[in-house]
Amino acid sequence: MNDVSVLSRSLLFWRSFTHLIGGMGVLVFALAIMDNAKNSHLEVMKAEVPGPVFGKVVSKLKNTAQILYLLYLALFSLFVIIYYLAGMPLYDSFVIATGTAGTGGFTVYNDGIAHYGSSLITYLVSIGVLVFGVNFNLYYYLMLRRIKAFFGDEELRAYLVIVLVSTGLISLNTLYLYPGFSKSFEMAFFQVSNIITTTGFGYGDITNWPLFSQFILLFLMAIGGSAGSTAGGLKIIRGLILSKIAKNQILSILSPHRVLTLHVNQTVIDKDTQHKILKYGRLKLE
């Protein structure tokens, strides 16, 4: 399909709706509405929610699924309103919000977000996909006013640092391609946000960017967003654990008798989980 604008609105709506349901996971949706969603379904939940370790926000699995989906739909609805207030037609707001929530990048026009010609919309979409690239468990903590748990999360901090550093480097590296730093930053932030969350909203041509910037985007595409989000990729938490495994290996060589444990968010990552992540990382590289 070379021209999505020729599709009927009903077809675009259906495409976006399936995207919305699949964003958080069809199995999570099923567990949220099933009467018999017991803890025996934990393996199903683990298979659907990406990340090395799945954590229930409440004791019952069904309630966890319901909370995650309600948060997901609430954020989706919020961005429908935000996009509409920013100047998008209501129909476009719905479609773009589904692409934002599902981090898949479905749009109404061939030129994507560039069609609207608005820096405000560009920034809002960039922020939107980043919001859905965060672990949804953290939003539940935020609702409970557990601010320290939210901002103290290692994966979240790494996620934000990667986005900010990548945006800054690309902004400077591509500065000569744009009228000024503000436009360079806008384009860099948009591409970084969409690539790290594997969303794929389109805006302009990045094939003329320097290889350095393209390499950064390639790295972001591989690492992906947070575990427990709608983003794809290796997941930042796995990258963190892999880096800590490498660090421990170096320390063990320097101090063979030293007893080392691996912690993430003050939780010990057992050897079995470490081995699984190493195998997963190897498969990704292959």
Side-chain angles (χ1 to χ4, degrees):
M1 173 61 67
N2 296 322
D3 187 3
V4 296
S5 61
V6 301
L7 297 175
S8 65
R9 286 200 163 195
S10 59
L11 189 57
L12 287 173
F13 176 88
W14 174 249
R15 184 181 73 154
S16 299
F17 181 73
T18 56
H19 200 183
L20 179 67
I21 297 298
M24 182 58 74
V26 176
L27 295 180
V28 178
F29 177 73
L31 290 174
I33 62 176
M34 285 167 55
D35 290 332
N36 62 339
K38 301 176 182 178
N39 287 336
S40 59
H41 294 84
L42 184 59
E43 293 302 319
V44 176
M45 191 78 159
K46 286 180 180 178
E48 188 69 4
V49 178
V53 180
F54 167 69
K56 295 187 290 183
V57 295
V58 291
S59 58
K60 291 186 178 180
L61 183 59
K62 178 180 178 179
N63 292 344
T64 294
Q66 289 175 338
I67 289 169
L68 291 177
Y69 239 101
L70 285 173
L71 285 170
Y72 175 64
L73 293 176
L75 285 171
F76 159 72
S77 302
L78 176 63
F79 275 95
V80 171
I81 296 170
I82 289 173
Y83 292 156
Y84 178 71
L85 293 177
M88 279 190 193
L90 183 59
Y91 176 80
D92 291 19
S93 300
F94 178 87
V95 173
I96 301 301
T98 59
T100 302
T103 57
F106 285 162
T107 59
V108 184
Y109 308 101
N110 284 343
D111 51 354
I113 304 303
H115 176 84
Y116 303 101
S118 168
S119 293
L120 175 60
I121 289 176
T122 303
Y123 274 113
L124 288 174
V125 171
S126 302
I127 293 169
V129 295
L130 287 177
V131 166
F132 284 93
V134 172
N135 190 329
F136 275 77
N137 287 1
L138 296 182
Y139 293 131
Y140 182 69
Y141 296 153
L142 204 58
M143 286 176 56
L144 298 178
R145 298 182 181 179
R146 293 173 59 181
I147 308 299
K148 188 176 180 180
F150 181 85
F151 288 105
D153 184 76
E154 288 187 47
E155 185 180 32
L156 176 64
R157 287 184 293 177
Y159 178 59
L160 295 177
V161 168
I162 290 171
V163 169
L164 290 174
V165 171
S166 299
T167 300
L169 291 174
I170 293 176
S171 298
L172 295 173
N173 190 230
T174 60
L175 184 58
Y176 70 96
L177 294 172
Y178 299 100
F181 181 76
S182 60
K183 192 63 178 178
S184 174
F185 183 86
E186 177 187 335
M187 291 297 98
F189 184 52
F190 180 84
Q191 298 297 346
V192 166
S193 302
N194 278 272
I195 294 296
I196 196 171
T197 56
T198 63
T199 303
F201 279 125
Y203 198 124
D205 183 11
I206 62 172
T207 58
N208 62 341
W209 280 15
L211 286 177
F212 176 71
S213 294
Q214 293 186 30
F215 177 80
I216 292 175
L217 294 180
L218 185 63
F219 166 76
L220 296 177
M221 188 185 301
I223 196 69
S226 303
S229 71
T230 61
L234 176 68
K235 297 295 180 296
I236 289 173
I237 188 67
R238 288 194 180 99
L240 275 174
I241 293 173
L242 286 171
S243 65
K244 291 188 177 188
I245 290 173
K247 177 185 175 182
N248 281 358
Q249 287 297 316
I250 294 171
L251 291 175
S252 65
I253 293 172
L254 297 175
S255 303
H257 301 292
R258 187 174 179 180
V259 178
L260 299 168
T261 56
L262 196 155
H263 297 79
V264 174
N265 294 327
Q266 300 179 345
T267 301
V268 176
I269 305 299
D270 59 73
K271 291 293 184 181
D272 182 56
T273 302
Q274 292 181 41
H275 290 154
K276 288 179 180 178
I277 292 171
L278 284 169
K279 291 177 183 177
Y280 186 86
R282 182 180 176 182
L283 287 173
K284 277 285 186 179
L285 290 174
E286 292 177 351

